[in-house]
């Protein structure tokens, strides 16, 4: 398993490029979700100028929906530039699109295989210039799963559960292991939580250009 920090400099402006000037520094993004083949939903920390940012976004035809969250956040649904679907299609688990500023986007991604990371980087290059900022392998006892968790996650990965669209359903995984749907979901949830928690806790190191 690998954790990668990827910087993408887009070849052209997208709607987010026109609102980043409203925040002092890069805009923090959380809770990213890919919707279908074209749309994404995420939360941004908009700060004191949230209403102005919302007005600019609402004027764009690529923004599907806006919702005010808390005192200074926006829940945005919009047509993607293509970056997030590329990550998902290549089995990447997006921890966060940690920030954007102008044409710059920074993604923190976890992948199970080096080949998946190569595919993500190759796909992102169709959108702009890509730099692998950090890459850290995760090995050793801290990332070991229980035998059953490893079996279920391994089966799910092999059968395309983490593909987009999914290649196998939770019900089909449950049938393969002769367990209930909630049991499968619990195994997946616990395994994913452990792997992602280990990834966040582990220190990152500068990427070796030959790593990919």
């Amino acid at each position: 398993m690998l954790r990668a920090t990827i910087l993408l400099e887009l070849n052209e402006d997208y709607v987010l490029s026109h609102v980043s000037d409203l925040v002092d520094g890069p805009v923090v993004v959380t809770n990213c979700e890919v919707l279908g083949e074209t749309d994404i939903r995420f939360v941004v920390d908009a700060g004191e100028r949230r209403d102005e940012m919302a007005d600019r976004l609402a004027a764009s035809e690529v923004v599907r929906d806006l919702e005010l969250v808390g005192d200074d956040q926006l829940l945005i649904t919009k047509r993607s530039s293509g970056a997030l679907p590329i990550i998902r299609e290549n089995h990447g688990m997006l921890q966060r699109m940690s920030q954007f500023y102008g044409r710059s986007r920074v993604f923190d991604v976890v992948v199970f295989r080096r080949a998946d990371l190569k595919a993500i980087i190759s796909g992102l290059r169709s959108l702009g210039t890509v730099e692998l900022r950090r890459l850290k392998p995760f090995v050793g006892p801290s990332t070991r799963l229980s035998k059953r968790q490893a079996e279920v996650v391994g089966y799910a990965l092999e059968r395309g559960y983490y593909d987009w669209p999914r290649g196998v359903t939770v019900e089909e995984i449950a049938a393969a292991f002769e367990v209930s749907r909630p049991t499968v979901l619990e195994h997946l949830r616990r395994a994913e939580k452990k792997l992602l928690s280990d990834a966040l806790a582990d220190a990152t190191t500068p990427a070796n250009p030959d790593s990919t």
Side-chain angles (χ1 to χ4, degrees), residues 137-145 194 198:
F138 296 92
V139 295
S142 64
T143 56
R144 289 179 184 166
L145 305 175
K194 180 172 179 55
D198 287 344

Side-chain angles (χ1 to χ4, degrees), residues 34 36-40 80 82-90 164:
V34 178
E37 296 183 359
T38 62
D39 290 0
I40 58 173
S80 171
L84 297 185
I86 287 171
I87 292 170
R88 289 289 299 274
E89 288 166 4
N90 292 289
W164 194 263

Side-chain angles (χ1 to χ4, degrees), residues 18-194:
H18 300 297
V19 298
S20 60
D21 63 301
L22 298 175
V23 178
D24 185 16
V27 180
V28 176
V29 179
T30 57
N31 302 101
C32 297
E33 181 183 5
V34 178
L35 306 175
E37 296 183 359
T38 62
D39 290 0
I40 58 173
R41 178 186 295 134
F42 53 90
V43 175
V44 300
D45 292 334
E48 296 178 354
R49 302 177 71 179
R50 179 181 67 175
D51 292 344
E52 188 176 351
M53 182 181 292
D55 289 342
R56 288 192 191 181
L57 291 170
S60 172
E61 63 180 11
V62 305
V63 175
R64 316 293 197 197
D65 188 50
L66 285 172
E67 182 178 335
L68 303 182
V69 179
D71 295 327
D72 60 0
Q73 294 183 316
L74 281 173
L75 175 63
I76 303 168
T77 303
K78 63 178 285 292
R79 188 171 69 234
S80 171
S81 63
L84 297 185
I86 287 171
I87 292 170
R88 289 289 299 274
E89 288 166 4
N90 292 289
H91 317 297
M93 292 184 291
L94 183 68
Q95 295 185 58
R96 57 178 180 162
M97 180 171 74
S98 55
Q99 58 184 239
F100 67 84
Y101 189 76
R103 294 186 179 184
S104 299
R105 307 287 185 270
V106 178
F107 302 101
D108 291 328
V109 179
V110 170
V111 295
F112 285 96
R113 299 174 296 189
R114 194 175 297 271
D116 295 330
L117 179 58
K118 289 182 178 180
I120 289 171
I121 290 174
S122 177
L124 291 177
R125 283 180 176 143
S126 67
L127 303 176
T129 302
V130 181
E131 178 184 345
L132 182 59
R133 284 285 184 86
R134 291 183 177 86
L135 178 65
K136 178 71 178 180
F138 296 92
V139 295
S142 64
T143 56
R144 289 179 184 166
L145 305 175
S146 71
K147 180 179 178 181
R148 180 45 63 102
Q149 287 172 354
E151 289 174 346
V152 173
V153 170
Y155 182 91
L157 180 64
E158 181 181 349
R159 297 301 193 279
Y161 179 76
Y162 294 102
D163 291 353
W164 194 263
R166 296 192 193 282
V168 66
T169 65
V170 172
E171 289 76 13
E172 289 169 333
I173 298 173
F177 286 91
E178 298 182 345
V179 297
S180 68
R181 182 179 187 275
T183 298
V184 169
L185 289 172
E186 182 67 6
H187 283 314
L188 292 173
R189 184 188 67 80
R190 287 180 178 272
E192 291 166 2
K193 181 179 179 180
K194 180 172 179 55

